[in-house]
Amino acid sequence: MRPVNPATGEQIDAYEQADEDDVEAALARASDAFESWRQRPMREREQLLLNAADVLRDRKAEYAELMTREMGKPISQATAEIEKCIWGCEHYAQHASAYLADDHYPSPAGSTVKTAYDPLGVVLAVMPWNFPFWQVFRFAAPYLTAGNVGVLKHASNVPGCALAIADVFREAGYPEGVFQSVLAPSSLVDDIIADERVEAATLTGSGPAGRAVASTAGEHLKKTVLELGGSDPFVVLEDADVEHAAERGAWARNQNGGQSCIAAKRFVVHDAVYDEFVDQLVEEVEALTVGDPMDESTDVGPQARQRFLEELHEQVTASVEAGATVLTGGEPLDRDGAYYPPTVLADVPANCPADSEELFGPVATVYRVDDEAEALEVANDTRFGLGASVWTADRERGERLAGQIDAGCVYVNQLVKSDPRVPFGGVGDSGYGRELSAIGIQEFVNRKTVWIE
């Protein structure tokens, strides 16, 4: 593995790829570790998670810089990502005991009936490059604390992050084998899932990758949680605070270089405020600073790989050829690195790539609608169903519309985000299952009914 700094095109380092023997050894260690790890008192597992938070805090700058070098995330956003991982660890260290406490039920006199939450065993995590620390910690913090053990197969362009995360758990005092990063190729994922020592799998990534994992896991009757792509609508109604919505919308589309499943991608705007909103959105987008991701003042860095930029530009070009109008951006920047400018497309024809596909980069599409009913129709006109947001001065109206949008999470007057306190996940082609909160930690447990007479 030879990761390349997307801001410069220079190779960062070289890592040896894991082979079948390495995977076998990792699974053996994981299986052995589970037998003792599952018996560790919950309070001890929670304390180790607090230790992990301390390691992250102590090495925050180092890990943020590693992220920025490997996938181009602006350093201020990389620092914020580490801080979010700390929050996630501290959240589960505080609440895991309550989330997994036995549930008791009415029962005949003299008997006790309850549900106990037992860990499943070895869980495989196939994780993406766009949030290389947070995606892993929102898997590892709850599932390890529940008593499972984890094997991470991270994206091939962030091997340094993968190994650094393993170091976090090792330095925190976790026993050998409880968390491992295996730099295995994607070609070995099916074999890992099929292995009898692996009990479950979670994936955050593309639709094709999710289908492949679900197919193999289904064949072997193993539990999965999938968080896949998104094409989130950002609905602006006629009574919205246009200036605020445009400012938030520009950030919701372009944070992390637009490389986020829950980024605002389709701006669905009421005709009464369309022109004002679009003008304001373009102004906000053009004010974003594109540049060196190591610079604290940078808002938008490079795309994570040159080929990702090329694929994005092919989608934009095809959409323009079909009739879309470029309001700003639309061409790769003439500079070293995989830089694509924040872009806004209007007059987007039905079924062109910008309309029907996920644009995984800093490209916003805007749609004009005549009324609330049409706004809902356009918002739901997608095979995805991850997140959505509604912008209106009437909170009750926003809540009512939220109930009619087909998505795993809908935010009113707020950009879509993941939060350790609330469940996160999608419907449709955006996957199934939930991460985070009590529901997330309970995804990979055996909900065991215990009847004591």
Side-chain angles (χ1 to χ4, degrees), residues 91-414:
H91 176 82
Y92 278 107
Q94 180 180 355
H95 297 289
S97 293
Y99 288 160
L100 296 176
D102 292 348
D103 291 325
H104 290 265
Y105 304 99
S107 59
S111 65
T112 299
V113 180
K114 66 179 182 178
T115 294
Y117 297 93
D118 293 347
L120 294 181
V122 180
V123 179
L124 170 67
V126 182
M127 293 288 111
W129 49 264
N130 56 334
F131 291 91
F133 270 72
W134 170 240
Q135 300 279 15
V136 175
F137 273 89
R138 78 183 194 195
F139 137 74
Y143 299 154
L144 298 188
T145 309
N148 297 298
V149 299
V151 175
L152 169 65
K153 186 273 183 246
H154 217 326
S156 61
N157 59 328
V158 289
C161 292
L163 297 179
I165 293 168
D167 286 342
V168 170
F169 288 105
R170 186 160 42 250
E171 291 182 27
Y174 280 73
E176 181 182 10
V178 171
F179 182 91
Q180 299 175 82
S181 289
V182 182
L183 303 184
S186 296
S187 59
L188 294 182
V189 168
D190 280 354
D191 290 341
I192 297 173
I193 296 172
D195 192 286
E196 63 181 8
R197 291 165 293 191
V198 174
E199 296 292 341
T202 179
L203 175 140
T204 298
S206 69
R211 287 183 174 85
V213 165
S215 176
T216 303
E219 182 180 349
H220 296 275
L221 296 178
K222 296 182 180 181
K223 178 70 182 291
T224 53
V225 169
L226 305 179
E227 194 265 276
L228 308 178
S231 187
D232 288 12
F234 186 103
V235 179
V236 182
L237 298 175
E238 77 280 4
D239 61 347
D241 181 335
V242 171
E243 182 177 353
H244 177 65
E247 185 272 328
R248 290 286 77 199
W251 186 243
R253 172 63 278 200
N254 292 286
Q255 185 181 15
N256 201 40
Q259 300 164 123
S260 171
C261 296
I262 54 172
K265 298 188 173 94
R266 296 178 298 126
F267 290 78
V268 183
V269 187
H270 193 286
D271 177 69
V273 293
Y274 178 88
D275 292 335
E276 180 186 1
F277 176 84
V278 170
D279 288 346
Q280 189 71 36
L281 179 66
V282 169
E283 181 179 329
E284 293 285 349
V285 161
E286 291 179 342
L288 295 171
T289 300
V290 180
D292 180 0
M294 285 294 185
D295 189 329
E296 289 281 353
S297 66
T298 293
D299 298 310
V300 180
Q303 299 298 278
R305 284 182 173 177
Q306 180 64 29
R307 70 175 178 88
F308 296 159
L309 178 149
E310 293 168 357
E311 291 168 0
L312 178 66
H313 189 52
E314 288 174 2
Q315 291 175 301
V316 171
T317 299
S319 300
V320 171
E321 290 175 350
T325 302
V326 177
L327 300 182
T328 188
E331 291 287 343
L333 296 180
D334 185 15
R335 59 181 296 174
D336 291 338
Y339 285 92
Y340 203 85
T343 297
V344 179
L345 301 179
D347 309 315
V348 178
N351 300 318
C352 75
D355 177 64
S356 60
E357 300 173 6
E358 180 180 23
L359 301 184
F360 211 66
V363 181
T365 58
V366 291
Y367 297 80
R368 186 194 299 264
V369 294
D370 290 332
D371 53 30
E372 179 183 297
E374 188 180 4
L376 283 170
E377 181 181 349
V378 174
N380 287 328
D381 186 21
T382 176
R383 66 183 189 277
F384 297 105
L386 190 53
S389 61
V390 177
W391 300 79
T392 172
D394 185 339
R395 296 179 65 191
E396 292 183 0
R397 182 188 190 191
E399 184 175 3
R400 175 173 54 80
L401 293 181
Q404 300 175 64
I405 293 177
D406 300 326
C409 52
V410 183
Y411 285 68
V412 178
N413 298 325
Q414 177 62 274

